[in-house]
Amino acid sequence: MMDVHNNEIVEIFLTVADLMEIKGENPFRIRAYREASRVIGDMSEQVAQMVHDDRDLTELKGIGKDLAEKIREIVTTGQLEFLESLEKEIPASLLELMKIPDLGPKKVAAMYRELGITTMEDLKKAVEAKKISALKGFGEKTEQKIFKSISRPKKEFGRRTLLIDAEPSALAYKKYLESKPGVKSVNLAGSFRRGKETIGDLDILVTCDTGREKEVMDAFVTFEEVNRIYAKGNKKSAVLLRNDLQVDIRIVPESSYGAALHYFTGSKAHNLAIRRLAVQKKYKVNEYGVFDGSRQVAGKTERDVYEALGLHYIEPELRENMGEIEAAKSGRLPALIEPGHMRGDLHMHTTRTDGRNSLSEMAEAAKALGYEYIAVTEHSRKVAMANGLDEKDLREYMARIEQVNAQIEGIEILKGIEVDILQDGGLDLPDSVLKDLDIVIGSVHYQQRFPMKQQTERIIRAMDNPYLQILGHPTGRLLNKRDPMDIDLERIIEAAKEKKVAMELNAQPDRLDLPHNYCKFAADMGVTIVLSTDAHSTENLRRMANGITEARRGWLTKEDVVNTRSLGEMREMLKR
DNA sequence: GCCGTTTTCGGCCCGACTGTTTTCAGTCG
């Protein structure tokens, strides 16, 4: 039995879809592969485990008999015969070329067929020899566009931007557009609005005085950060910023504002499902509204759009076609957690280890945020580069915490630790001191490259320590930098349930760890979740907002998160 | 390739912009 991960199956199916597209296969068949890969990619459960347990894969939405068999083949053999036969017909290097803007499957196929182009290098030579513009269906402008694009490093295409990195440009753009005459409203939609951890591009929706659309579009493409204009019309335009962020804009009439916001917020999968539902009800949904024949029956607000289709309003964070539409039909949507629900923060560092602010500064800042309690959780000795504490250091610091706690009014400072989980699953500090703490978080910081079985068992063994209350940043992922550890997270969450250990949702914008799909899995199992900032400065305490967004994407309610509770109730719930 | 209180066969979301087109294909979201 091989450990084939969901993301490997996703990659294989996406590659199959791309290759079939170049080959010119039936688009609906291609879509089936893409749809299946999306479903698998969003799952928390490992498909390989399902195969192993002899479960019926066709229970999964979008997976029928054929794809179930292909998944089984991938899981048992580690490869897919069908993909290999496709790769014999279509060079896989063509997929790189498809990442170039304006080059899709048809054009790439034509260049391959007519000129034998398979690599970026081939393409460059053909462009320089002016062979591209000679092809039918191609012309001077297309050749120029390709020339412009291949002079850029290829890795820049398709790279996703951390939400928090996109934020400054997004807000600056919004403010800029709002200042333009004739503009009535500017809204950021797309994955930015859905609160995805990383975004592919930025989507802006604008309403303006009728007749002034062109004026607004002129302003849009002359924003100071614009580096390149991809397309410009009166309803829709697209540009590339200097920081490589692509920005799309749509201008719509106010009567269609809700439908357009819905359409432009996505996700694509959610929109497709909504449109399919509309077709069932003999309606048509587009970005201008819900239509019964040519009559608009909804569209001014998003709520109207959902109601016209017999659905409750769905929050943007849930719009991934992961069950939210079914829940909205039957009124089973969760009441999502909100920033105002948070009453404390249970993971932070101070200047005693690698933080930038003192204990009292952190406490004052937390108090200013309206919190009732915090836990100060320094690193343990193993994390030497952060001046991690040994037992003696910790005892001293605990005394210091008690001191400050006595001095400060209106907030309770709890004595905590982020103790390192050692190679063998032991903890980096003795029980004799752990037992005297209020909050014990256990985290893996070293040896993150163990094989799955070993890594999983290491973490589960750590949870056997009766003083460990919270598993910190459970996957160890750093978005765009480091993959999650190779672990069976489902098994770990099940163990957490059994041992009454809570899972942390670490709110650092490049962690957001526990990932949302596992938040949902854990909450469904009844595992307690702690939403923490892991702040290393007073400023960082505000990152709770990022964690709230991830929690909402994971369908979490106030009840699922322990630090929405009063101090007493929270402590009771974390007791083992 | 999937899917079905209209169907096990015949559908499968919908529109804007661009370029190379004399009416539309390709790409994108």
Side-chain angles (χ1 to χ4, degrees):
Chain A
M1 187 70 192
M2 313 202 22
D3 287 333
V4 176
H5 298 123
N6 287 357
N7 59 6
E8 295 173 74
I9 299 170
V10 166
E11 280 307 310
I12 290 175
F13 280 3
L14 288 179
T15 308
V16 165
D18 286 346
L19 291 174
M20 285 202 299
E21 207 168 24
I22 295 174
K23 210 182 146 197
E25 282 275 4
N26 176 353
F28 299 109
R29 194 178 166 207
I30 294 163
R31 193 157 82 189
Y33 278 88
R34 297 225 165 97
E35 190 64 14
S37 74
R38 190 192 63 83
V39 168
I40 296 168
D42 285 339
M43 281 172 58
S44 58
E45 199 169 2
Q46 290 296 317
V47 179
Q49 191 60 43
M50 291 181 70
V51 170
H52 188 56
D53 296 343
D54 218 20
R55 303 247 313 269
D56 182 12
L57 296 172
T58 62
E59 281 170 15
L60 300 171
K61 199 165 45 175
I63 293 178
K65 225 177 137 192
D66 183 90
L67 288 180
E69 188 45 46
K70 286 195 167 70
I71 291 169
R72 177 174 296 277
E73 181 188 343
I74 295 168
V75 169
T76 52
T77 69
Q79 51 195 9
L80 184 65
E81 183 66 33
F82 180 50
L83 173 60
E84 287 173 24
S85 69
L86 275 173
E87 282 176 335
K88 278 180 194 139
E89 291 177 74
I90 312 285
S93 58
L94 291 179
L95 302 182
E96 272 305 305
L97 304 184
M98 282 222 291
K99 291 181 186 163
I100 294 175
D102 300 312
L103 282 192
K106 294 281 167 40
K107 286 210 169 78
V108 166
M111 295 191 305
Y112 171 53
R113 195 175 54 237
E114 305 295 329
L115 298 173
I117 291 170
T118 60
T119 66
M120 203 66 85
E121 198 52 38
D122 294 344
L123 180 60
K124 203 168 180 176
K125 281 181 191 153
V127 168
E128 281 162 2
K130 306 241 180 254
K131 284 181 177 168
I132 300 292
S133 52
L135 288 177
K136 59 172 174 293
F138 292 73
E140 197 62 34
K141 288 202 171 174
T142 305
E143 193 165 62
Q144 279 311 308
K145 275 188 174 180
I146 295 173
F147 176 74
K148 260 182 132 176
S149 294
I150 50 182
S151 56
R152 297 159 51 81
K154 64 181 173 189
K155 66 167 184 181
E156 291 183 13
F157 298 117
R159 194 201 54 177
R160 296 184 66 86
T161 308
L162 273 188
L163 182 65
I164 194 158
D165 293 339
E167 207 164 27
S169 289
L171 299 179
Y173 225 139
K174 182 171 192 287
K175 202 171 159 197
Y176 166 80
L177 288 169
E178 279 168 345
S179 75
K180 293 297 164 188
V183 171
K184 286 182 171 167
S185 72
V186 180
N187 267 276
L188 301 165
S191 44
F192 189 89
R193 180 161 179 245
R194 300 202 312 283
K196 263 196 105 169
E197 302 90 332
T198 61
I199 67 170
D201 58 19
L202 194 62
D203 301 304
I204 304 180
L205 184 68
V206 171
T207 57
C208 69
D209 296 335
T210 39
R212 303 186 78 168
E213 290 83 2
K214 184 174 181 304
E215 208 179 318
V216 174
M217 284 303 191
D218 288 341
F220 173 71
V221 300
T222 51
F223 179 55
E224 60 170 2
E225 292 182 40
V226 169
N227 191 28
R228 186 170 163 186
I229 301 168
Y230 281 134
K232 180 167 176 279
N234 278 342
K235 299 178 174 175
K236 177 177 170 173
S237 299
V239 298
L240 187 70
L241 301 187
R242 284 198 306 265
N243 62 6
D244 277 329
L245 189 64
Q246 186 181 322
V247 184
D248 299 337
I249 188 173
R250 286 293 293 257
I251 300 179
V252 296
E254 281 185 295
S255 57
S256 297
Y257 177 75
L261 183 59
H262 177 261
Y263 159 74
F264 220 22
T265 297
S267 66
K268 192 170 182 171
H270 176 87
N271 287 351
L272 285 176
I274 288 288
R275 288 177 181 195
R276 277 196 292 263
L277 180 67
V279 169
Q280 275 176 29
K281 293 183 180 291
K282 307 288 184 204
Y283 288 137
K284 183 179 76 168
V285 170
N286 58 27
E287 56 264 56
Y288 298 108
V290 181
F291 293 89
D292 184 358
S294 60
R295 188 173 62 93
Q296 191 203 44
V297 298
K300 192 148 173 54
T301 70
E302 283 191 316
R303 211 168 279 275
D304 293 346
V305 171
Y306 284 116
E307 277 174 12
L309 299 173
L311 301 174
H312 286 83
Y313 175 77
I314 301 173
E315 299 284 356
E317 293 94 331
L318 298 182
R319 300 182 193 170
E320 300 291 344
N321 192 26
M322 287 298 290
E324 74 280 8
I325 293 173
E326 293 76 4
K329 266 184 207 164
S330 54
R332 286 181 293 105
L333 284 167
L336 297 179
I337 186 169
E338 293 168 16
H341 292 152
M342 303 312 299
R343 293 169 80 165
D345 191 339
L346 297 178
H347 186 166
M348 67 189 66
H349 301 270
T350 73
T351 44
R352 180 63 187 81
T353 61
D354 59 350
R356 289 200 301 275
N357 289 98
S358 71
L359 180 51
S360 46
E361 284 169 344
M362 293 301 278
E364 288 291 353
K367 186 177 151 187
L369 290 174
Y371 290 153
E372 296 164 24
Y373 53 85
I374 56 170
V376 174
T377 53
E378 297 291 14
H379 290 289
S380 62
R381 59 189 173 183
K382 171 95 180 170
V383 189
M385 59 186 248
N387 303 313
L389 312 182
D390 63 18
E391 179 170 6
K392 178 169 162 289
D393 298 332
L394 181 54
R395 290 271 180 211
E396 283 168 17
Y397 205 52
M398 286 159 70
R400 172 74 187 138
I401 290 173
E402 277 178 23
Q403 236 176 34
V404 174
N405 198 32
Q407 287 162 8
I408 189 168
E409 290 292 314
I411 190 163
E412 184 75 17
I413 312 173
L414 301 174
K415 291 169 284 193
I417 190 79
E418 181 184 14
V419 61
D420 207 66
I421 294 176
L422 302 174
Q423 184 163 346
D424 62 357
L427 300 183
D428 189 31
L429 288 167
D431 289 357
S432 55
V433 64
L434 295 181
K435 75 175 169 55
D436 292 332
L437 290 159
D438 300 306
I439 296 291
V440 177
I441 305 169
S443 301
V444 171
H445 291 109
Y446 299 99
Q447 287 108 11
Q448 302 208 11
R449 292 279 150 240
F450 285 158
M452 183 194 269
K453 189 163 184 294
Q454 187 183 357
Q455 194 70 279
T456 303
E457 279 164 11
R458 169 194 191 184
I459 292 169
I460 290 177
R461 203 168 308 133
M463 295 196 292
D464 282 335
N465 183 300
Y467 301 107
L468 190 147
Q469 293 164 296
I470 302 166
L471 181 62
H473 43 75
T475 78
R477 74 171 177 180
L478 289 176
L479 293 161
N480 280 356
K481 280 199 221 92
R482 186 170 72 205
D483 285 337
M485 289 186 286
D486 198 1
I487 47 175
D488 184 344
L489 193 46
E490 301 233 327
R491 226 183 106 203
I492 290 171
I493 292 171
E494 280 160 13
K497 165 76 180 167
E498 185 191 325
K499 298 171 200 294
K500 280 202 70 190
V501 172
M503 303 294 283
E504 177 180 82
L505 165 48
N506 187 302
Q508 287 194 43
D510 59 347
R511 286 193 185 272
L512 296 169
D513 185 9
L514 204 61
H516 62 89
N517 47 346
Y518 289 98
C519 286
K520 187 164 191 289
F521 178 82
D524 286 347
M525 290 211 38
V527 171
T528 301
I529 291 166
V530 182
L531 183 41
S532 303
T533 61
D534 194 358
H536 284 65
S537 69
T538 53
E539 204 40 52
N540 284 173
L541 290 168
R542 297 185 178 280
R543 289 176 173 174
M544 190 64 90
N546 300 83
I548 294 272
T549 302
E550 187 74 1
R552 289 168 63 88
R553 289 177 60 75
W555 293 53
L556 298 188
T557 67
K558 182 183 170 187
E559 282 68 36
D560 296 320
V561 176
V562 70
N563 45 324
T564 61
R565 316 250 175 178
S566 68
L567 176 61
E569 218 181 324
M570 180 275 291
R571 294 190 67 154
E572 193 56 38
M573 282 183 68
L574 287 180
K575 230 179 224 165
R576 292 191 53 187

